[in-house]
Amino acid sequence: MVFKTIIEPFRIKAVEPIRRTTRAEREAALQAAGYNLFALKAEDVLIDLLTDSGTGAMSSEQWAGMMRGDESYAGARSFYRFEAAVKEITGFAHVIPTHQGRAAERILAAVLLKPGDIVPNNTHFDTTRANIEAVGAIALDLPIAEGRQPGLLHPFKGNIDLAALARTLEENPGQVPLVIVTVTNNSGGGQPVSMANLRAASALCRRHGVPLFLDSCRYAENAYFIKLREEGYAAKTPLEIARELFSYADGATMSAKKDGLANIGGFLALNDEALAQQAKVQLILTEGFPTYGGLAGYDLEALAVGLKEALDEDYLRYRLRSVEYLGEKLTAAGVPIVQPPGGHAIYLDAQAMLPHIPPHEYPAWALSLVLYLAGGVRSVEIGSVMFGLQPDGSEQPAAMELVRLAFPRRVYTQSHVDYLAEVLIYVHSLRERIRGVHIIEAPAVLRHFSARLAPAHGSLLAEVQGT
Ligand SMILES: *Cc1c(COP(=O)(O)O)cnc(C)c1O
């Protein structure tokens, strides 16, 4: 190619205005929300990077598909289109639709786990961990050592620690009913897993007779990282790479609100016939009949199209580049982030930026509040509010204090990213004035969604000395 500018590979057919607010309005909104960004009204947010989950823009083909949706209770045409798309990409024999990823996780936990069991993962996502702990089993994070060092460059920081996995399997015979590998590793910085790592993890699991499942929310982004970074994959298509990824697993859970490019949906796909039957019993209990699983026919159509659009190379090039573009601007300005930039998000390293805030005053949470206050940007804390509360009720600092800025798919353009960079660099310049927060009240499970907090020292920002 002669030209090097990577453009948004689409034009915009429908627009949705976003609303500017004043700083005083944002201050009041934060207070009303109990200093929890989940409790804000979305219309009070200018750039919403809370999550890339279900927040993407659908294509004209997906909207057209929605009009073709077959709303039959059983055996709908839309289910078979969805099933064919999932089978083409994953190769799994049984495809069970669910309303989103965590429903697939809950079903898998119900059919495979008992109290005391151990489930290793490169890093469990919050809902995966919660579903495992809800049945009394233990969610064990085994990322490679490089994965826990935010500033360190490594092409596949999402890899699972193979030696630790081997040890866990050897030392706990009969107590590890499954191993999960999350692609890309969301809680660990949106970092990819290499094909070599997955192949080796798969061989270990097979040697021990333990099934391997992929948490495959971002299978397309992971496939494209492999194409860019792993030897032997440059000439392969993302679909070919994705198929090879899934071939090393016995099943997968998926939140199709990510690389399904849809606003809702998910699935559990697997090869074991008996296990699939048990999963369908669970599905009927809480989700719905196996040919719709809690989704409308039109959702299944949107997914059938979206799962394939996510594998388009122009789209993936633009997708990864928009995140990297923000990462480059921040790195040039000295803002500490998880390196290299992930596939769906930039993760600010709040521990490095705010060393004066102790973990029990939640530095990453405080930083996320100031980003909103300064620029109307909504992000999410991935730190000690999200992961600090242990199942026994004790409090332990999270491995990392991160603020995730997740990019909705096909929603924001380069000027939005330029604005973001400005806000982030400005907030970085205020870093010494940022102060901690404390928790006023919180539920015992997934507390970050509904906790109420407050500034620990009267305000989020210390007054400037001498003014
Ligand atoms: C989003 C996500 C889930 C849960 O999916 P939902 O659709 O939000 O229920 C599980 N694992 C990972 C890695 C995710 O990113």
mmCIF file of all heavy atoms in Angstrom, residues 144 146-147 152-159 184-185 189-195 197 221-222 224-231 320 339-343:
data_model
loop_
_atom_site.group_PDB
_atom_site.id
_atom_site.type_symbol
_atom_site.label_atom_id
_atom_site.label_comp_id
_atom_site.label_asym_id
_atom_site.label_seq_id
_atom_site.Cartn_x
_atom_site.Cartn_y
_atom_site.Cartn_z
ATOM 1 N N ILE A 144 1.467 -15.248 32.989
ATOM 2 C CA ILE A 144 2.935 -15.270 33.018
ATOM 3 C C ILE A 144 3.402 -14.062 33.836
ATOM 4 O O ILE A 144 2.670 -13.077 33.966
ATOM 5 C CB ILE A 144 3.551 -15.229 31.599
ATOM 6 C CG1 ILE A 144 3.036 -14.021 30.783
ATOM 7 C CG2 ILE A 144 3.276 -16.521 30.864
ATOM 8 C CD1 ILE A 144 3.795 -13.788 29.493
ATOM 9 N N GLU A 146 5.454 -11.739 33.253
ATOM 10 C CA GLU A 146 5.481 -10.480 32.491
ATOM 11 C C GLU A 146 4.111 -9.813 32.482
ATOM 12 O O GLU A 146 4.002 -8.597 32.380
ATOM 13 C CB GLU A 146 5.917 -10.731 31.041
ATOM 14 C CG GLU A 146 7.366 -11.151 30.870
ATOM 15 C CD GLU A 146 7.551 -12.665 30.958
ATOM 16 O OE1 GLU A 146 6.685 -13.355 31.557
ATOM 17 O OE2 GLU A 146 8.565 -13.159 30.430
ATOM 18 N N GLY A 147 3.053 -10.627 32.580
ATOM 19 C CA GLY A 147 1.690 -10.114 32.527
ATOM 20 C C GLY A 147 1.325 -9.249 33.720
ATOM 21 O O GLY A 147 0.345 -8.525 33.689
ATOM 22 N N LEU A 152 6.157 -3.340 31.190
ATOM 23 C CA LEU A 152 7.033 -4.229 30.430
ATOM 24 C C LEU A 152 6.450 -4.574 29.057
ATOM 25 O O LEU A 152 5.272 -4.888 28.947
ATOM 26 C CB LEU A 152 7.213 -5.512 31.243
ATOM 27 C CG LEU A 152 8.343 -6.426 30.809
ATOM 28 C CD1 LEU A 152 9.646 -5.955 31.429
ATOM 29 C CD2 LEU A 152 8.040 -7.853 31.274
ATOM 30 N N LEU A 153 7.309 -4.522 28.029
ATOM 31 C CA LEU A 153 6.849 -4.894 26.687
ATOM 32 C C LEU A 153 7.011 -6.395 26.467
ATOM 33 O O LEU A 153 8.052 -6.971 26.793
ATOM 34 C CB LEU A 153 7.660 -4.144 25.620
ATOM 35 C CG LEU A 153 7.264 -2.698 25.352
ATOM 36 C CD1 LEU A 153 8.315 -2.002 24.503
ATOM 37 C CD2 LEU A 153 5.901 -2.621 24.659
ATOM 38 N N HIS A 154 5.973 -7.023 25.931
ATOM 39 C CA HIS A 154 6.022 -8.455 25.612
ATOM 40 C C HIS A 154 4.908 -8.667 24.588
ATOM 41 O O HIS A 154 3.814 -8.130 24.777
ATOM 42 C CB HIS A 154 5.771 -9.266 26.890
ATOM 43 C CG HIS A 154 5.880 -10.760 26.711
ATOM 44 N ND1 HIS A 154 4.918 -11.499 26.051
ATOM 45 C CD2 HIS A 154 6.841 -11.637 27.087
ATOM 46 C CE1 HIS A 154 5.288 -12.783 26.034
ATOM 47 N NE2 HIS A 154 6.452 -12.877 26.663
ATOM 48 N N PRO A 155 5.172 -9.425 23.519
ATOM 49 C CA PRO A 155 4.142 -9.522 22.468
ATOM 50 C C PRO A 155 2.891 -10.286 22.908
ATOM 51 O O PRO A 155 1.801 -10.048 22.381
ATOM 52 C CB PRO A 155 4.860 -10.254 21.327
ATOM 53 C CG PRO A 155 6.032 -10.932 21.963
ATOM 54 C CD PRO A 155 6.422 -10.105 23.145
ATOM 55 N N PHE A 156 3.044 -11.213 23.854
ATOM 56 C CA PHE A 156 1.899 -12.035 24.266
ATOM 57 C C PHE A 156 1.789 -12.095 25.790
ATOM 58 O O PHE A 156 1.880 -13.145 26.418
ATOM 59 C CB PHE A 156 2.005 -13.442 23.658
ATOM 60 C CG PHE A 156 1.839 -13.440 22.162
ATOM 61 C CD1 PHE A 156 2.941 -13.594 21.322
ATOM 62 C CD2 PHE A 156 0.590 -13.240 21.592
ATOM 63 C CE1 PHE A 156 2.783 -13.567 19.942
ATOM 64 C CE2 PHE A 156 0.423 -13.210 20.213
ATOM 65 C CZ PHE A 156 1.524 -13.371 19.380
ATOM 66 N N LYS A 157 1.537 -10.917 26.340
ATOM 67 C CA LYS A 157 1.439 -10.802 27.794
ATOM 68 C C LYS A 157 0.215 -11.507 28.362
ATOM 69 O O LYS A 157 0.073 -11.636 29.572
ATOM 70 C CB LYS A 157 1.343 -9.324 28.168
ATOM 71 C CG LYS A 157 2.631 -8.704 28.586
ATOM 72 C CD LYS A 157 2.403 -7.226 28.823
ATOM 73 C CE LYS A 157 3.083 -6.748 30.051
ATOM 74 N NZ LYS A 157 3.058 -5.282 30.156
ATOM 75 N N GLY A 158 -0.710 -11.927 27.491
ATOM 76 C CA GLY A 158 -1.899 -12.628 27.965
ATOM 77 C C GLY A 158 -1.641 -14.101 28.221
ATOM 78 O O GLY A 158 -2.513 -14.806 28.736
ATOM 79 N N ASN A 159 -0.445 -14.601 27.874
ATOM 80 C CA ASN A 159 -0.161 -16.032 28.002
ATOM 81 C C ASN A 159 -0.393 -16.554 29.412
ATOM 82 O O ASN A 159 -0.184 -15.842 30.393
ATOM 83 C CB ASN A 159 1.298 -16.314 27.610
ATOM 84 C CG ASN A 159 1.486 -16.302 26.092
ATOM 85 O OD1 ASN A 159 0.519 -16.204 25.335
ATOM 86 N ND2 ASN A 159 2.732 -16.383 25.668
ATOM 87 N N THR A 184 -8.824 -12.076 24.246
ATOM 88 C CA THR A 184 -7.584 -11.651 24.862
ATOM 89 C C THR A 184 -7.812 -11.540 26.379
ATOM 90 O O THR A 184 -8.961 -11.569 26.818
ATOM 91 C CB THR A 184 -7.174 -10.252 24.359
ATOM 92 O OG1 THR A 184 -8.268 -9.323 24.617
ATOM 93 C CG2 THR A 184 -6.978 -10.217 22.841
ATOM 94 N N ASN A 185 -6.729 -11.378 27.115
ATOM 95 C CA ASN A 185 -6.829 -11.344 28.573
ATOM 96 C C ASN A 185 -7.338 -9.975 29.028
ATOM 97 O O ASN A 185 -6.564 -9.051 29.218
ATOM 98 C CB ASN A 185 -5.454 -11.648 29.168
ATOM 99 C CG ASN A 185 -5.493 -11.770 30.674
ATOM 100 O OD1 ASN A 185 -6.539 -11.575 31.293
ATOM 101 N ND2 ASN A 185 -4.378 -12.086 31.268
ATOM 102 N N GLY A 189 -5.139 -6.534 30.902
ATOM 103 C CA GLY A 189 -4.693 -5.482 30.002
ATOM 104 C C GLY A 189 -5.080 -5.662 28.540
ATOM 105 O O GLY A 189 -4.500 -5.021 27.666
ATOM 106 N N GLY A 190 -6.030 -6.553 28.245
ATOM 107 C CA GLY A 190 -6.440 -6.757 26.846
ATOM 108 C C GLY A 190 -5.319 -7.353 26.016
ATOM 109 O O GLY A 190 -5.220 -7.134 24.816
ATOM 110 N N GLN A 191 -4.443 -8.115 26.687
ATOM 111 C CA GLN A 191 -3.247 -8.647 26.030
ATOM 112 C C GLN A 191 -3.548 -10.003 25.386
ATOM 113 O O GLN A 191 -4.280 -10.816 25.944
ATOM 114 C CB GLN A 191 -2.126 -8.803 27.063
ATOM 115 C CG GLN A 191 -1.773 -7.490 27.766
ATOM 116 C CD GLN A 191 -1.092 -6.501 26.833
ATOM 117 O OE1 GLN A 191 -0.342 -6.888 25.943
ATOM 118 N NE2 GLN A 191 -1.371 -5.215 27.025
ATOM 119 N N PRO A 192 -2.945 -10.241 24.222
ATOM 120 C CA PRO A 192 -3.229 -11.494 23.504
ATOM 121 C C PRO A 192 -2.480 -12.706 24.070
ATOM 122 O O PRO A 192 -1.496 -12.572 24.773
ATOM 123 C CB PRO A 192 -2.748 -11.198 22.086
ATOM 124 C CG PRO A 192 -1.693 -10.152 22.240
ATOM 125 C CD PRO A 192 -2.091 -9.330 23.431
ATOM 126 N N VAL A 193 -3.002 -13.874 23.698
ATOM 127 C CA VAL A 193 -2.395 -15.169 24.013
ATOM 128 C C VAL A 193 -1.822 -15.706 22.707
ATOM 129 O O VAL A 193 -2.484 -15.627 21.669
ATOM 130 C CB VAL A 193 -3.472 -16.136 24.564
ATOM 131 C CG1 VAL A 193 -2.909 -17.519 24.783
ATOM 132 C CG2 VAL A 193 -4.080 -15.579 25.854
ATOM 133 N N SER A 194 -0.621 -16.231 22.737
ATOM 134 C CA SER A 194 -0.029 -16.737 21.488
ATOM 135 C C SER A 194 -0.578 -18.117 21.162
ATOM 136 O O SER A 194 -1.044 -18.850 22.042
ATOM 137 C CB SER A 194 1.492 -16.801 21.604
ATOM 138 O OG SER A 194 1.871 -17.879 22.437
ATOM 139 N N MET A 195 -0.496 -18.477 19.881
ATOM 140 C CA MET A 195 -0.942 -19.804 19.451
ATOM 141 C C MET A 195 -0.074 -20.866 20.124
ATOM 142 O O MET A 195 -0.575 -21.903 20.567
ATOM 143 C CB MET A 195 -0.818 -19.905 17.927
ATOM 144 C CG MET A 195 -1.597 -21.024 17.332
ATOM 145 S SD MET A 195 -3.388 -20.770 17.428
ATOM 146 C CE MET A 195 -3.703 -19.904 15.887
ATOM 147 N N ASN A 197 1.407 -20.772 23.011
ATOM 148 C CA ASN A 197 1.033 -20.908 24.420
ATOM 149 C C ASN A 197 -0.241 -21.730 24.562
ATOM 150 O O ASN A 197 -0.349 -22.625 25.398
ATOM 151 C CB ASN A 197 0.865 -19.510 25.030
ATOM 152 C CG ASN A 197 0.587 -19.537 26.529
ATOM 153 O OD1 ASN A 197 -0.534 -19.319 26.949
ATOM 154 N ND2 ASN A 197 1.600 -19.818 27.336
ATOM 155 N N GLU A 221 -9.843 -10.177 17.790
ATOM 156 C CA GLU A 221 -8.708 -9.303 18.109
ATOM 157 C C GLU A 221 -7.477 -10.149 18.423
ATOM 158 O O GLU A 221 -6.370 -9.860 17.973
ATOM 159 C CB GLU A 221 -9.066 -8.378 19.288
ATOM 160 C CG GLU A 221 -10.088 -7.323 18.897
ATOM 161 C CD GLU A 221 -10.697 -6.569 20.084
ATOM 162 O OE1 GLU A 221 -10.213 -6.702 21.218
ATOM 163 O OE2 GLU A 221 -11.686 -5.833 19.851
ATOM 164 N N ASN A 222 -7.688 -11.248 19.190
ATOM 165 C CA ASN A 222 -6.547 -12.112 19.507
ATOM 166 C C ASN A 222 -5.967 -12.737 18.233
ATOM 167 O O ASN A 222 -4.750 -12.806 18.062
ATOM 168 C CB ASN A 222 -6.970 -13.200 20.493
ATOM 169 C CG ASN A 222 -5.783 -13.757 21.268
ATOM 170 O OD1 ASN A 222 -5.548 -13.393 22.420
ATOM 171 N ND2 ASN A 222 -4.984 -14.603 20.630
ATOM 172 N N TYR A 224 -5.958 -11.484 15.278
ATOM 173 C CA TYR A 224 -5.219 -10.501 14.488
ATOM 174 C C TYR A 224 -3.864 -10.185 15.128
ATOM 175 O O TYR A 224 -2.871 -9.983 14.427
ATOM 176 C CB TYR A 224 -6.048 -9.231 14.284
ATOM 177 C CG TYR A 224 -5.562 -8.422 13.098
ATOM 178 C CD1 TYR A 224 -5.616 -8.949 11.806
ATOM 179 C CD2 TYR A 224 -5.002 -7.157 13.262
ATOM 180 C CE1 TYR A 224 -5.147 -8.237 10.714
ATOM 181 C CE2 TYR A 224 -4.538 -6.434 12.175
ATOM 182 C CZ TYR A 224 -4.611 -6.975 10.904
ATOM 183 O OH TYR A 224 -4.137 -6.277 9.823
ATOM 184 N N PHE A 225 -3.796 -10.172 16.466
ATOM 185 C CA PHE A 225 -2.497 -9.997 17.134
ATOM 186 C C PHE A 225 -1.557 -11.144 16.747
ATOM 187 O O PHE A 225 -0.365 -10.931 16.545
ATOM 188 C CB PHE A 225 -2.672 -9.983 18.659
ATOM 189 C CG PHE A 225 -2.994 -8.624 19.235
ATOM 190 C CD1 PHE A 225 -4.151 -8.427 19.977
ATOM 191 C CD2 PHE A 225 -2.137 -7.544 19.056
ATOM 192 C CE1 PHE A 225 -4.446 -7.184 20.541
ATOM 193 C CE2 PHE A 225 -2.428 -6.291 19.620
ATOM 194 C CZ PHE A 225 -3.584 -6.115 20.357
ATOM 195 N N ILE A 226 -2.087 -12.356 16.658
ATOM 196 C CA ILE A 226 -1.253 -13.499 16.269
ATOM 197 C C ILE A 226 -0.737 -13.292 14.845
ATOM 198 O O ILE A 226 0.439 -13.507 14.556
ATOM 199 C CB ILE A 226 -2.057 -14.816 16.401
ATOM 200 C CG1 ILE A 226 -2.231 -15.157 17.889
ATOM 201 C CG2 ILE A 226 -1.376 -15.960 15.654
ATOM 202 C CD1 ILE A 226 -3.132 -16.349 18.161
ATOM 203 N N LYS A 227 -1.611 -12.811 13.974
ATOM 204 C CA LYS A 227 -1.194 -12.566 12.586
ATOM 205 C C LYS A 227 -0.044 -11.543 12.549
ATOM 206 O O LYS A 227 0.933 -11.708 11.825
ATOM 207 C CB LYS A 227 -2.392 -12.052 11.781
ATOM 208 C CG LYS A 227 -2.085 -11.799 10.304
ATOM 209 C CD LYS A 227 -3.327 -11.296 9.583
ATOM 210 C CE LYS A 227 -2.993 -10.808 8.186
ATOM 211 N NZ LYS A 227 -2.955 -11.893 7.177
ATOM 212 N N LEU A 228 -0.160 -10.493 13.371
ATOM 213 C CA LEU A 228 0.842 -9.427 13.361
ATOM 214 C C LEU A 228 2.130 -9.828 14.073
ATOM 215 O O LEU A 228 3.210 -9.374 13.714
ATOM 216 C CB LEU A 228 0.285 -8.164 14.043
ATOM 217 C CG LEU A 228 -0.897 -7.460 13.381
ATOM 218 C CD1 LEU A 228 -1.349 -6.281 14.239
ATOM 219 C CD2 LEU A 228 -0.533 -6.972 11.977
ATOM 220 N N ARG A 229 2.026 -10.668 15.103
ATOM 221 C CA ARG A 229 3.178 -10.836 15.994
ATOM 222 C C ARG A 229 3.793 -12.232 16.037
ATOM 223 O O ARG A 229 4.895 -12.390 16.548
ATOM 224 C CB ARG A 229 2.776 -10.462 17.436
ATOM 225 C CG ARG A 229 2.413 -9.020 17.594
ATOM 226 C CD ARG A 229 2.060 -8.688 19.039
ATOM 227 N NE ARG A 229 1.606 -7.301 19.142
ATOM 228 C CZ ARG A 229 1.086 -6.770 20.232
ATOM 229 N NH1 ARG A 229 0.961 -7.507 21.318
ATOM 230 N NH2 ARG A 229 0.696 -5.511 20.245
ATOM 231 N N GLU A 230 3.077 -13.254 15.586
ATOM 232 C CA GLU A 230 3.620 -14.609 15.782
ATOM 233 C C GLU A 230 4.117 -15.176 14.468
ATOM 234 O O GLU A 230 3.429 -15.101 13.445
ATOM 235 C CB GLU A 230 2.538 -15.531 16.401
ATOM 236 C CG GLU A 230 3.109 -16.847 16.907
ATOM 237 C CD GLU A 230 2.180 -17.554 17.905
ATOM 238 O OE1 GLU A 230 1.163 -16.949 18.324
ATOM 239 O OE2 GLU A 230 2.489 -18.704 18.264
ATOM 240 N N GLU A 231 5.288 -15.741 14.514
ATOM 241 C CA GLU A 231 5.909 -16.275 13.315
ATOM 242 C C GLU A 231 5.032 -17.361 12.678
ATOM 243 O O GLU A 231 4.504 -18.216 13.379
ATOM 244 C CB GLU A 231 7.282 -16.855 13.688
ATOM 245 C CG GLU A 231 8.046 -17.235 12.457
ATOM 246 C CD GLU A 231 9.553 -17.223 12.674
ATOM 247 O OE1 GLU A 231 10.003 -16.700 13.713
ATOM 248 O OE2 GLU A 231 10.241 -17.746 11.794
ATOM 249 N N LEU A 320 -7.376 -2.213 16.074
ATOM 250 C CA LEU A 320 -6.168 -2.263 16.891
ATOM 251 C C LEU A 320 -5.390 -0.956 16.801
ATOM 252 O O LEU A 320 -4.767 -0.508 17.759
ATOM 253 C CB LEU A 320 -5.278 -3.451 16.472
ATOM 254 C CG LEU A 320 -5.505 -4.754 17.252
ATOM 255 C CD1 LEU A 320 -6.962 -5.128 17.368
ATOM 256 C CD2 LEU A 320 -4.718 -5.907 16.659
ATOM 257 N N GLN A 339 1.756 -1.670 28.851
ATOM 258 C CA GLN A 339 2.405 -1.766 27.547
ATOM 259 C C GLN A 339 2.466 -3.217 27.098
ATOM 260 O O GLN A 339 2.673 -4.090 27.931
ATOM 261 C CB GLN A 339 3.838 -1.207 27.621
ATOM 262 C CG GLN A 339 3.908 0.257 28.012
ATOM 263 C CD GLN A 339 3.572 1.202 26.865
ATOM 264 O OE1 GLN A 339 3.132 0.763 25.789
ATOM 265 N NE2 GLN A 339 3.756 2.499 27.096
ATOM 266 N N PRO A 340 2.370 -3.509 25.816
ATOM 267 C CA PRO A 340 1.910 -2.574 24.798
ATOM 268 C C PRO A 340 0.395 -2.396 24.898
ATOM 269 O O PRO A 340 -0.256 -3.138 25.630
ATOM 270 C CB PRO A 340 2.302 -3.307 23.505
ATOM 271 C CG PRO A 340 2.299 -4.763 23.863
ATOM 272 C CD PRO A 340 2.670 -4.843 25.300
ATOM 273 N N PRO A 341 -0.191 -1.410 24.166
ATOM 274 C CA PRO A 341 -1.651 -1.240 24.224
ATOM 275 C C PRO A 341 -2.382 -2.541 23.898
ATOM 276 O O PRO A 341 -1.928 -3.313 23.065
ATOM 277 C CB PRO A 341 -1.918 -0.186 23.152
ATOM 278 C CG PRO A 341 -0.645 0.577 23.059
ATOM 279 C CD PRO A 341 0.451 -0.432 23.285
ATOM 280 N N GLY A 342 -3.507 -2.773 24.565
ATOM 281 C CA GLY A 342 -4.294 -3.984 24.321
ATOM 282 C C GLY A 342 -5.141 -3.848 23.056
ATOM 283 O O GLY A 342 -5.051 -2.860 22.336
ATOM 284 N N GLY A 343 -5.958 -4.847 22.808
ATOM 285 C CA GLY A 343 -6.755 -4.850 21.594
ATOM 286 C C GLY A 343 -7.998 -3.983 21.691
ATOM 287 O O GLY A 343 -8.418 -3.379 20.702
#
